[in-house]
Amino acid sequence: MKGFTALLMASCCTALVAQAHAADLPSTIGKGEGDLNVVAWEGYADDAWVKPFEQQTGCKVHRKYVGSSDEMVALTRMGGGKGFDVVSASGDAALRLIFGHNVQPLNISLIPAYNDLMPELKEPSFNTVKGVHYGISYEWGPNILMWNTKVFPQAPTSWGVIYDKAHAGVVTVPDNPIQIADAALYLSHTKPDLGITDPYELTQPQMDAVVALLKEQRALVKKYWALASDEVDLFKSGDAQVGSAWPYQANTLRAAGVPVQDTIPVEGATGWADSWMISAHAEHPNCAYLWINHVMTPKVQAQQALSFGETPGNTKACAEMDAEQPGACKQYHADASSAYFASIKFWKTPVKSCGNGQNNCLDYGAWQRAWQQVKQ
């Protein structure tokens, strides 16, 4: 939804709903076509659940991992969108795919696990438009602060550590325009007179302040990471000692014996909520539905959550998580209250329409240009 205004969103929304209601959604899932092309975040199509799926369905999985939502949107649009069947889109990409006509409406009656989703994820605004489902909510989690405990024997508690000149050359953060929201969240606490109430709704003066902070940080950054594995390599080599991460990197590094720890700082955190979506031009739609049903089962949801360090959308995954790793359900907040879910500032696509009724916020196109200014 790059550069979309509120007016354009409204007109697209009306057209999409009419199109979706007129669409002939599948009433059953047929036999798998033999192949499935998956575009996903790194770690979302692990052999632990891919191999059983292939054996059960005969659908051979072909994976393409991406490191950012921009890359995900670009990849799914290549070749007219005919090169993929399913995509694990985050909130800052899902609406772009919906309004770009890149994904198709889903028949949720063909996905039994939908009934077991936590209430907040059944019809979220990032994958459901006027009651029409274009995605099924999958997993969610926060963006965390991670550090090497040998370099930082005293655990940092604020995002301020990644903007501190004392750590020049050992900081790493994602190479992603949505990273602007992390800096905006930090400034909303440290410079309240800026009036930032939503890190995704920034006026030009607010964006100028965020860009100024990020330009100062640029001199501290060893490398902006694209793939999760990039950050893992940076911490393994010692080139990076502190940075913004996902739980996946922290888990991977600890399993490899790298002394890292992580936390959600006092200012809070941004986060993601991902959805599986089917291409509007899927060549293997039956395999796509079979895949979604497979990964939405409590067992696979638990495997994914424990592997990546995130929280399953399926409420029945809790017992599976504890069976595999005692205490994991509570550790990964799978039994968390609605208040915990609401405390995370989940990714969404910035648009000109502000939450206060004004239309002077910057859209995603402006965010992309601002990010390029930061990295110059």
Side-chain angles (χ1 to χ4, degrees), residues 316-336:
K316 290 187 175 179
C318 242
E320 292 282 350
M321 292 176 73
D322 282 342
E324 291 196 31
Q325 183 179 307
C329 176
K330 183 171 291 294
Q331 178 184 356
Y332 293 109
H333 306 284
D335 61 349

Side-chain angles (χ1 to χ4, degrees), residues 129-280:
V129 178
K130 299 235 182 224
V132 179
H133 299 267
Y134 290 86
I136 184 81
S137 299
Y138 185 49
E139 306 252 348
W140 57 277
N143 295 307
I144 58 172
L145 174 64
M146 181 174 70
W147 65 91
N148 186 308
T149 57
K150 288 187 177 179
V151 178
F152 294 86
Q154 184 172 350
T157 59
S158 168
W159 285 112
V161 69
I162 64 173
Y163 305 109
D164 189 337
K165 293 179 180 178
H167 310 307
V170 296
V171 174
T172 185
V173 294
D175 187 1
N176 190 342
I178 210 68
Q179 182 67 18
I180 289 170
D182 287 54
L185 178 63
Y186 173 69
L187 288 179
S188 72
H189 288 266
T190 57
K191 292 188 177 181
D193 13 335
L194 288 172
I196 298 173
T197 57
D198 185 321
Y200 305 99
E201 295 175 359
L202 301 178
T203 62
Q204 189 63 61
Q206 291 168 341
M207 178 63 84
D208 290 342
V210 173
V211 168
L213 174 65
L214 290 171
K215 281 187 174 181
E216 290 179 3
Q217 185 194 47
R218 177 71 185 89
L220 316 181
V221 174
K222 177 66 177 182
K223 182 180 179 180
Y224 292 99
W225 58 269
L227 293 173
S229 55
D230 294 339
E231 185 174 34
V232 168
D233 290 342
L234 285 167
F235 270 81
K236 280 184 175 180
S237 66
D239 287 334
Q241 305 291 358
V242 63
S244 176
W246 301 330
Y248 173 77
Q249 287 94 303
N251 290 341
T252 301
L253 286 164
R254 282 192 285 265
V258 181
V260 299
Q261 191 52 267
D262 63 88
T263 191
I264 295 178
V266 293
E267 298 89 2
T270 60
W272 71 91
D274 296 336
S275 306
W276 282 109
M277 313 179 90
I278 299 179
S279 170

Side-chain angles (χ1 to χ4, degrees), residues 17 25 65 90 96 134 140 146 154 160 218 231 241 250 265 276 291 299 303 305 314 329 358:
V17 171
L25 297 178
Y65 287 143
S90 294
R96 284 187 263 167
Y134 290 86
W140 57 277
M146 181 174 70
Q154 184 172 350
R218 177 71 185 89
E231 185 174 34
Q241 305 291 358
W276 282 109
W291 168 261
K299 181 177 180 179
Q303 288 177 311
N314 189 331
C329 176
Q358 301 296 313

Side-chain angles (χ1 to χ4, degrees), residues 38-62:
V38 177
V39 175
W41 294 111
E42 192 170 8
Y44 269 40
D46 190 274
D47 280 348
W49 50 91
V50 165
K51 293 303 182 183
F53 169 76
E54 290 177 330
Q55 292 168 2
Q56 293 164 15
T57 65
C59 301
K60 176 68 176 176
V61 175
H62 308 279

